[in-house]
Amino acid sequence: MKSQWVSALLCLFCPLTVIAALTTVTPKAVTGPLTNPGIGVASFHQGYGETLGQADYPNTGFEYERFYWRDLEPVEGQYNFALVDDAFKYAAAHRPAMNVGLRFMALAEPESGPQIPDWLIKKGVKGTWTPDHKTFAPDLDDPLFIAYSQRLLNAFGKRYDGNQNLAFVDIGMVGAWGEWHNSNFPTLKPLLERYTTAQLDRYVAMHFAAFPVTPKIMLMSGGQSLANAVARGAGWRADCWGDLRVFSDSWNHMQDDYPQRLLAAQKSYSGFDDAWKRSPVSLEICSYMLDWKNIFKYTPDEVQGIFNWAVTHHVSTINLKSRKVPGEYRPIVDDALTKLGYRFRLASLSHESVWENGQTLALVSTWYNDGNAPIYLPYTLSFRIINDANKVVAQGNSPEDIRRWLPGKHQLNYSLPMPGALPGGNYFIEVAIVDKSGTARINFANEGGQSSGWYRVSMLTVR
């Protein structure tokens, strides 16, 4: 008791800064889907030119586009960057601004014609023509094709790798539509039988060499190359997500394909199930949701199970192919969108109630990632002080790497640099997650958002 009394007596003479009162705010949370870059529902090839209101299709967080080599390099060494630039322009014009996902391809369908440039075919690249001599399927083990493929990817990697608005590169170039199969070519030997794993892994390595910084994803139909790509740092992707009876009443992807592929990958690479912690997981719908309702007669419970699967597997993005979502399924979709990807919520912020002078302002905050995955691009958590004229008088960036914020609770102690002295009065404390240009990009699951994209969360008195 004596030591406590002495401490209390001595504290009567403590400097004010030692016993300064603290303000703790608990910003109110919001419910419902958030639209943020790199998560949620895709805009697919700029919506195929259709205009769907948000009553028919959720607001989108990324623009997903795929490009054929024939269009990207119509003349040897002359790259059509404008095609890809247009995707970024479209994404930037969206509100809120989106990220972009890309895939590069060298083959389509037997009736679609060659998807590699004519000049490459004339160089003598090896491959097989369809019986009607309409479409050319290049040999993936041909040294000439390999060399020019790497050159193509390197050219686009040089221009776009590390772009703050490139959400991911989908590892393509292999098989029809870059989907790591040739099952739509009946005259070709199945791709995974035609080539060794080492030969296919070369295309994985090409993407990592050309895009060392950008997150990468790998389609699960790639056999052993799937596990090998994830071991290198890729995430994964699934096509025909939601298939319960699209192709057959006795076989479907959800029960008879996905579990087996994922289990084999996990057995091959023990870290496979944790791939989502560092790289995205993405899905593309089988058929369309309107077909689920009108043709295949999916019940709401079946649709709920499909979206539960996505949440459980830490999916960040789903490509619904920019087609209308039936009204009876929409609540299921919207509920899933509150869980897919990152969802940052500021739970509390503590700071000195009154600030007189000094070099820093201590900010102690508690955050939650209420989503099912981290954020994968290096955005920055930033704080600032605003005066009553709405002018920024202090601002600083936390060194915290928020890509490490897995689902759950996160504590942050940050000393905000201050100008040393400020005119007396009341000031606002704001917080945002910003991109490299300093633009606020991420919507929080909190009230208080300003038109600037920053969140006004507390007030500071300066004497």
Side-chain angles (χ1 to χ4, degrees), residues 124-137:
V125 65
K126 296 178 181 178
T128 303
W129 286 95
T130 52
D132 60 3
H133 206 73
K134 187 171 186 179
T135 294
F136 183 79

Side-chain angles (χ1 to χ4, degrees), residues 136-311:
F136 183 79
D139 286 352
L140 300 178
D141 56 354
D142 176 45
L144 188 64
F145 183 78
I146 291 169
Y148 277 96
S149 294
Q150 184 70 79
R151 194 185 72 164
L152 174 78
L153 292 175
N154 286 348
F156 282 83
K158 182 178 180 180
R159 186 174 180 91
Y160 300 108
D161 184 44
N163 185 307
Q164 63 181 351
N165 291 313
L166 182 53
F168 60 78
V169 170
D170 187 353
I171 298 173
M173 297 297 288
V174 175
W177 308 291
E179 292 182 352
W180 290 74
H181 70 85
N182 56 12
S183 59
N184 57 331
F185 282 79
T187 60
L188 295 181
K189 187 175 183 180
L191 191 142
L192 295 183
E193 297 177 17
R194 165 68 173 80
Y195 301 103
T196 67
T197 297
Q199 289 170 331
L200 295 177
D201 280 353
R202 190 189 300 270
Y203 290 86
V204 173
M206 284 183 189
H207 285 78
F208 273 84
F211 294 90
V213 176
T214 298
K216 289 156 286 287
I217 59 176
M218 170 75 182
L219 187 62
M220 64 159 60
S221 59
Q224 178 60 39
S225 291
L226 168 65
N228 295 347
V230 170
R232 294 183 70 129
W236 57 270
R237 189 175 76 81
D239 270 352
C240 227
W241 166 67
D243 168 35
L244 296 181
R245 46 186 173 271
V246 173
F247 297 100
S248 168
D249 289 332
S250 59
W251 183 96
N252 66 70
H253 283 81
M254 296 299 293
Q255 297 169 336
D256 303 308
D257 185 80
Y258 290 176
Q260 293 81 353
R261 292 185 189 275
L262 295 177
L263 180 60
Q266 173 64 21
K267 287 182 177 179
S268 178
Y269 169 55
S270 62
F272 182 87
D273 287 348
D274 290 330
W276 64 273
K277 294 180 180 179
R278 64 175 188 264
S279 294
V281 178
S282 184
L283 303 176
E284 182 173 315
I285 192 173
C286 201
S287 190
Y288 304 102
M289 292 198 79
L290 276 176
D291 291 345
W292 288 6
K293 173 181 179 290
N294 297 326
I295 299 176
F296 306 112
K297 309 298 182 183
Y298 285 15
T299 67
D301 283 346
E302 287 176 321
V303 175
Q304 184 68 67
I306 291 167
F307 278 85
N308 287 348
W309 189 94
V311 173

